């Protein structure tokens, strides 16, 4: 009996030793790369730019919205937080990261990430969070775009809601009306509320 106890103890110690030798995954703290959000108690206003899919029942058109940002240093984008809000259709919206093409969204860099369970239009103060599968390298001083839109068909194509505004002194954003291509809305008194997070070398 004593030998069996010692043997069992030996196995337990061996397994514990093996577990302790497994590589530990480091928890990465995301850093702010860009943000136009207000304080946590009022990160955005109660008005916003319309975001709608081609099969929505509230309007006769579809519209995507894009927010530009320019990193102040080289970084890797991992997450977007935005004031996206729901009114009708399937409660989900796509968020993507694009390069710039002469002042409007160009090439898809990451996404789309489907973000479900958005808060109701006019509510405060929940942010939609889209986390990309892989980090995307971005360069200092180069413009990029965060895009919110719907799929062209299927679940989510009937969405309509808003991307809540913030009122910075000098603002701009782009819209894609009926999938006809991006059009720069500038200058504006408000722009979509959002923030970009990731790692900064």
């Amino acid at each position: 009996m004593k030998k069996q106890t010692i043997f069992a103890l030996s196995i337990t110690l061996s397994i514990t030793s093996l577990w302790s030798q497994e590589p530990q995954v480091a928890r990465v703290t995301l850093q702010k790369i860009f943000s136009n959000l207000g304080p946590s108690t009022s990160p955005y206003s109660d008005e916003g730019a319309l975001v709608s899919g081609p099969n929505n029942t509230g309007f006769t058109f579809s519209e995507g919205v894009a927010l530009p940002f320019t990193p102040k240093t080289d970084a890797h984008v991992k997450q977007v937080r935005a004031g996206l809000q729901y009114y009708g259709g399937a409660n989900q919206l796509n968020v993507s990261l694009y390069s710039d093409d002469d002042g409007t969204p160009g090439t898809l860099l990451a996404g789309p990430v489907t973000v479900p369970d958005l808060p109701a239009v006019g509510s405060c103060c929940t942010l939609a969070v889209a986390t990309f599968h892989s980090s995307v390298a971005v360069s200092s001083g180069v413009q990029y775009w965060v895009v919110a839109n719907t799929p062209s068909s299927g679940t989510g194509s009937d969405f309509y809601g808003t991307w809540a505004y913030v009122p910075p002194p000098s603002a701009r954003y782009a819209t894609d009306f009926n999938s006809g291509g991006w059009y720069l809305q500038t200058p504006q008194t408000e722009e979509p509320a959002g923030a970009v997070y990731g790692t900064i070398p």
Side-chain angles (χ1 to χ4, degrees):
M1 184 69 178
K2 185 176 181 181
K3 288 183 179 179
Q4 289 177 339
T5 302
I6 293 173
F7 180 69
L9 179 61
S10 175
I11 291 175
T12 301
L13 290 174
S14 297
I15 292 173
T16 303
S17 177
L18 286 173
W19 282 345
S20 66
Q21 294 173 23
E22 290 181 357
Q24 300 299 308
V25 178
R27 182 172 294 177
V28 177
T29 300
L30 298 181
Q31 298 169 277
K32 187 188 300 179
I33 297 170
F34 162 84
S35 178
N36 64 13
L37 298 173
S40 59
T41 54
S42 57
Y44 46 74
S45 73
D46 58 359
E47 297 181 343
L50 174 68
V51 185
S52 59
N55 296 319
N56 82 85
T57 58
F59 300 88
T60 58
F61 56 88
S62 65
E63 188 163 31
V65 176
L67 168 69
F69 72 97
T70 302
K72 294 182 179 179
T73 184
D74 292 348
H76 288 81
V77 174
K78 183 64 176 176
Q79 187 179 89
V80 168
R81 305 172 191 177
L84 302 173
Q85 300 191 327
Y86 165 80
Y87 192 86
N91 189 350
Q92 62 178 61
L93 199 56
N94 289 345
V95 175
S96 306
L97 182 69
Y98 280 76
S99 66
D100 180 82
D101 181 14
D102 196 26
T104 58
T107 302
L108 177 67
L109 299 177
V113 174
T114 301
V115 183
D117 303 323
L118 302 176
V121 167
S123 62
C124 188
C125 301
T126 302
L127 294 171
V129 178
T131 302
F132 299 112
H133 179 69
S134 300
S135 297
V136 179
V138 292
S139 300
S140 171
V142 176
Q143 182 167 276
Y144 299 88
W145 294 84
V146 175
V147 169
N149 58 12
T150 75
S152 59
S153 62
T155 304
S157 64
D158 61 346
F159 173 93
Y160 62 104
T162 61
W163 189 340
Y165 288 133
V166 289
S170 177
R172 59 200 177 108
Y173 64 96
T175 56
D176 179 12
F177 185 76
N178 281 339
S179 300
W182 290 101
Y183 175 78
L184 189 62
Q185 302 281 351
T186 185
Q188 298 287 320
T189 57
E190 298 173 305
E191 71 181 7
V196 177
Y197 284 78
T199 56
I200 299 173

